[in-house]
């Protein structure tokens, strides 16, 4: 029998919840009577309920996020139906703001808002000691990071071998970008660097080699950044892989020199650009030196082997499709390995809602609360850009069309890929589950769309990309199939004439 089950529904199995492990690490005397149970949004809610109740808990804590709110609501509803005596406590960013407006609020017993590392423990203690609070919403007080127990020892050997290992050297963000919940933070707070690196050493000693830092601003304090990079450089081997989120306009020379030392396959940077439009940046309180950001992106591509994943957001207040096209083209010119085309989402609690009336922001009322239209982008255009984002993942970000894509895009990458998007959707009526070989075969006929493309020039490029996929079967364009069929028909006619002569 387990008194406390800490659970969440991850987007994928590969994601290991850092939040649950923090809660477990800080349960103090309650820890022996608790366990972590992780599921994915692909598990059936009724099966999750069965799994949780098999432990006979008195308390179930659930981490709720934008990607799992709907599935979690089903879990809570069914759990409370069959086991109403079990106390259900919710936490996480999705229920920490506008809490009472959520349908799930009426189904649970408590919601712990904010950083619940310590307040969750106290609530559980009160419930188990028959001193359950009357108030349903428990607001977590500010915590000192020095008061927290680190969670990293609670990654299992299975986690280390098969899942992403999330770590953090700091919490919070000093910037105020209004689309992000981190805009509510006062600043960035570091953990003790000495203690943090001791934890990283323990993970490394247990064979951890993939470390995904969730710090919002890894390169904010360069002295700390350099010490962390030195730590890993001293332990560099063929399997080490580090993932950081970096500020694009803050790469001083000392950091640049350090980054040059990492070999291919060991670094990935997530670089938030969001928009190069100064007017939009001002509206959403985003401070960014655009020219320095572009120079740094180009420098990273030319002087390091880091994999660069750059983010843009479509649908921000004040943005039009033409101004976004300019941002996309400027970012494409910097040649990041991936351009993540995000669509604006209304994260609960984020300050972006202050622009709702002025810019007629209309968000999806259902998760993930994506923008549906604005005063400058109508719904049909928003749908086109959503398809653009999906096809860009298939063709641009996948790396499968590295020879063909530059010849297609030329010097108008956004406009030409948007035109390609409309053409692909008209042919397939799909944005998901398009067979890769079929996609290649459709693209073989792309000169039907772009008269300036020469088939004999781009066909060899597509062949190179196709060969790299190692798909079985010869790649045949529809025109070649028709030509082959026509030739066979002509031969058949000649043979028939010969036989009857």
């Amino acid at each position: 029998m387990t008194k406390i089950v800490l659970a969440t529904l991850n987007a994928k199995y590969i994601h290991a919840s850092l939040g649950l492990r923090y809660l477990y690490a800080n349960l103090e005397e309650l820890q022996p009577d608790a366990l972590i149970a992780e599921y994915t949004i692909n598990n059936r809610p009724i099966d999750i309920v069965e799994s949780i109740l098999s432990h006979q808990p008195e308390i179930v804590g659930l981490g709720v996020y934008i990607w799992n709110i709907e599935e979690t609501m089903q879990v809570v509803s069914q759990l409370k139906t069959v086991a109403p005596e079990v106390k259900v406590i919710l936490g996480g960013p999705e229920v920490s703001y506008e809490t009472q407006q959520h349908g799930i609020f009426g189904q649970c017993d408590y919601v712990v808002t904010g950083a619940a590392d310590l307040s969750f423990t106290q609530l559980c203690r009160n419930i188990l000691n028959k001193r359950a609070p009357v108030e349903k919403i428990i607001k977590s007080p500010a915590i000192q990071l020095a008061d927290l127990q680190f969670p990293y020892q609670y990654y299992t050997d299975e986690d280390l071998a098969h899942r992403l290992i999330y770590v953090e050297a700091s919490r919070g963000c000093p910037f105020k970008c209004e689309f992000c919940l981190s805009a509510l933070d006062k600043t960035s707070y570091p953990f003790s660097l000495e203690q943090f690196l001791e934890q990283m050493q323990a993970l490394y000693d247990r064979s951890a080699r993939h470390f995904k830092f969730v710090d919002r601003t890894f390169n904010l304090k360069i002295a700390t950044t350099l010490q962390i990079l030195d730590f890993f450089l001293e332990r560099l081997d063929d399997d080490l892989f580090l993932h950081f989120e970096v500020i694009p306009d803050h790469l001083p020379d000392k950091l640049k020199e350090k980054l040059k030392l990492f070999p291919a396959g060991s670094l990935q940077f997530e670089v938030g650009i969001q928009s190069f439009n100064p007017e939009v940046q001002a509206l959403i309180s985003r401070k960014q030196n655009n020219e320095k950001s572009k120079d740094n992106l180009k420098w990273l591509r030319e002087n390091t082997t880091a994999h660069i994943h750059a983010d843009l957001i479509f649908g921000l207040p004040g943005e039009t499709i033409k101004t976004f096209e300019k941002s996309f083209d400027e970012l494409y010119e910097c040649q990041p390995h991936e351009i993540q085309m995000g669509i604006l989402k209304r994260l609960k609690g984020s300050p972006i809602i202050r622009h709702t009336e002025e810019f007629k922001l209309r968000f999806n009322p259902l998760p993930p609360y994506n923008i549906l239209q604005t005063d400058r982008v109508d719904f049909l255009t928003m749908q086109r850009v959503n398809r653009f984002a999906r096809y860009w993942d298939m063709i641009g970000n996948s790396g499968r069309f590295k020879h063909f894509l530059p010849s297609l895009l030329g010097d108008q990458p956004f406009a030409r890929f948007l035109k390609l998007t409309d053409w692909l959707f008209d042919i397939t009526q799909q944005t998901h589950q398009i067979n890769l070989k079929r996609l290649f075969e459709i693209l073989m006929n792309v000169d039907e769309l772009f008269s300036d493309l020469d088939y004999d020039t781009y066909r060899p490029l597509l062949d190179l990309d196709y060969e790299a996929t190692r798909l079985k079967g010869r790649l045949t364009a529809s025109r070649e199939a028709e030509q082959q069929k026509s030739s066979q028909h002509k031969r058949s006619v000649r043979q028939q004439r010969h036989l009857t002569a």
Side-chain angles (χ1 to χ4, degrees):
M1 181 176 177
T2 301
K3 292 182 179 180
I4 303 170
V5 171
L6 299 169
T8 196
L9 282 64
N10 297 314
K12 297 178 182 178
Y13 165 76
I14 196 173
H15 301 149
S17 172
L18 180 61
L20 290 189
R21 285 162 178 80
Y22 263 112
L23 293 176
Y24 185 79
N26 289 279
L27 277 175
E28 299 180 356
E29 80 282 2
L30 303 180
Q31 192 183 81
D33 294 317
L35 61 79
I36 292 173
E38 291 182 272
Y39 309 93
T40 76
I41 55 175
N42 295 317
N43 292 126
R44 293 197 311 163
I46 197 166
D47 294 335
I48 295 173
V49 172
E50 180 184 11
S51 174
I52 289 173
L53 292 181
S54 70
H55 301 290
Q56 298 180 279
E58 296 182 40
I59 298 171
V60 174
L62 284 160
V64 189
Y65 302 87
I66 194 171
W67 63 79
N68 71 12
I69 175 64
E70 291 187 311
E71 294 82 0
T72 303
M73 189 179 302
Q74 294 179 51
V75 169
V76 174
S77 177
Q78 294 178 45
L79 192 155
K80 291 297 286 185
T81 297
V82 298
E85 73 282 1
V86 174
K87 299 300 182 185
V88 173
I89 305 174
L90 305 180
E94 180 61 16
V95 293
S96 285
Y97 305 94
E98 304 173 32
T99 304
Q100 297 183 53
Q101 297 176 27
H102 280 288
I104 200 172
F105 179 74
Q107 300 173 352
C108 70
D109 295 284
Y110 296 99
V111 175
V112 180
T113 66
D117 311 72
L118 303 179
S119 53
F120 176 79
T121 298
Q122 186 56 51
L123 176 58
C124 289
R125 191 180 286 128
N126 289 338
I127 292 172
L128 294 173
N129 290 331
K130 310 302 181 186
R131 298 197 306 269
V134 175
E135 61 273 16
K136 188 170 182 175
I137 299 175
I138 310 298
K139 296 182 179 180
S140 301
I143 59 175
Q144 300 297 316
L145 298 187
D147 294 336
L148 295 181
Q149 297 297 312
F150 285 107
Y152 304 112
Q153 63 179 302
Y154 303 112
Y155 284 120
T156 66
D157 292 341
E158 166 90 2
D159 296 332
L160 299 185
H162 302 293
R163 308 177 76 188
L164 291 173
I165 302 304
Y166 296 95
V167 300
E168 59 177 359
S170 64
R171 285 190 184 180
C173 179
F175 301 109
K176 303 299 177 187
C177 309
E178 295 179 14
F179 55 82
C180 182
L181 276 178
S182 295
L184 305 178
D185 298 332
K186 292 182 178 179
T187 186
S188 175
Y189 300 95
F191 286 89
S192 161
L193 184 57
E194 180 181 357
Q195 293 178 6
F196 173 75
L197 293 179
E198 287 175 359
Q199 295 293 317
M200 297 304 98
Q201 182 66 57
L203 284 175
Y204 189 90
D205 291 343
R206 294 177 58 205
S207 300
R209 291 297 183 270
H210 288 208
F211 298 82
K212 185 166 184 177
F213 282 71
V214 298
D215 306 56
R216 292 294 186 185
T217 50
F218 177 71
N219 58 326
L220 179 65
K221 297 181 179 178
I222 297 302
T224 299
T225 305
L226 294 176
Q227 289 183 67
I228 292 174
L229 292 177
D230 279 335
F231 172 88
F232 286 108
L233 277 171
E234 292 167 5
R235 293 155 181 81
L236 193 62
D237 63 20
D238 292 341
D239 297 321
L240 185 68
F241 179 78
L242 308 172
H243 179 286
F244 301 112
E245 185 171 336
V246 298
I247 309 165
D249 56 6
H250 189 50
L251 289 182
D253 290 341
K254 286 183 179 180
L255 179 54
K256 287 181 176 179
E257 292 305 311
K258 195 71 67 178
L259 296 177
K260 290 180 182 179
L261 302 177
F262 283 86
S266 61
L267 281 182
Q268 177 167 324
F269 291 145
E270 186 169 337
V271 185
I273 297 298
Q274 320 314 356
S275 175
F276 281 129
N277 185 335
E279 295 178 3
V280 172
Q281 290 171 336
L283 279 170
I284 62 173
S285 307
R286 182 172 179 81
K287 296 180 180 179
Q288 178 174 283
N289 185 319
N290 288 336
E291 292 310 310
K292 188 175 288 187
S293 295
K294 286 183 271 191
D295 288 344
N296 284 340
L297 282 170
K298 292 174 182 177
W299 184 90
L300 286 169
R301 270 303 256 134
E302 294 167 2
N303 296 278
T304 76
T305 60
H307 184 90
I308 310 301
H309 175 121
D311 298 334
L312 288 175
I313 296 178
F314 184 73
L316 291 166
E319 194 84 86
T320 69
I321 194 164
K322 291 303 293 182
T323 61
F324 185 82
E325 175 181 340
K326 185 172 185 294
S327 288
F328 185 93
D329 289 353
E330 290 176 10
L331 182 55
Y332 181 80
E333 186 181 352
C334 299
Q335 291 298 295
H337 298 87
E338 298 179 53
I339 297 176
Q340 181 66 46
M341 281 275 297
I343 305 299
L344 178 65
K345 297 176 178 63
R346 191 180 91 78
L347 303 180
K348 303 289 186 180
S350 62
I352 198 76
I353 59 170
R354 75 184 183 92
H355 300 292
T356 298
E357 292 308 314
E358 181 180 358
F359 293 93
K360 296 182 171 57
L361 306 182
R362 299 295 179 259
F363 292 95
N364 191 335
L366 303 175
Y369 315 116
N370 50 297
I371 189 77
L372 298 178
Q373 67 181 35
T374 72
D375 63 335
R376 304 177 194 203
V377 181
D378 61 33
F379 175 68
L380 296 182
T381 302
M382 196 70 72
Q383 287 294 91
R384 291 176 70 203
V385 177
N386 269 287
R387 289 191 285 270
F388 180 114
R390 178 57 189 155
Y391 290 141
W392 184 260
D393 275 344
M394 286 184 200
I395 298 172
N397 290 339
S398 68
R400 295 190 179 110
F401 297 88
K402 63 182 181 181
H403 295 99
F404 166 72
L405 188 61
S407 69
L408 171 73
L409 298 182
D411 59 0
Q412 295 179 296
F414 184 85
R416 288 174 72 89
F417 199 85
L418 185 62
K419 188 175 180 181
L420 180 76
T421 291
D422 295 337
W423 182 70
L424 282 174
F425 189 69
D426 187 53
I427 293 170
T428 66
Q429 292 297 302
Q430 290 177 271
T431 56
H432 293 77
Q433 298 180 333
I434 298 176
N435 178 275
L436 182 57
K437 185 177 181 183
R438 185 188 179 212
L439 180 58
F440 269 95
E441 290 176 342
I442 292 171
L443 292 174
M444 296 284 269
N445 299 304
V446 75
D447 58 344
E448 296 174 1
L449 180 66
F450 296 107
S451 59
D452 60 331
L453 291 181
D454 177 61
Y455 177 79
D456 293 330
T457 301
Y458 72 75
R459 168 63 195 262
L461 301 177
L462 265 176
D463 283 338
L464 280 173
D465 290 330
Y466 183 74
E467 288 169 12
T469 67
R470 300 188 177 182
L471 290 170
K472 294 181 179 180
R474 181 174 175 269
L475 189 61
T476 305
S478 58
R479 77 189 72 191
E480 293 173 345
E482 289 301 321
Q483 289 169 358
Q484 187 177 13
K485 190 184 298 181
S486 176
S487 297
Q488 290 172 347
H489 176 70
K490 288 177 181 178
R491 281 197 301 271
S492 176
V493 169
R494 285 196 300 268
Q495 289 169 355
Q496 188 66 32
R497 287 173 179 169
H498 177 74
L499 291 171
T500 57

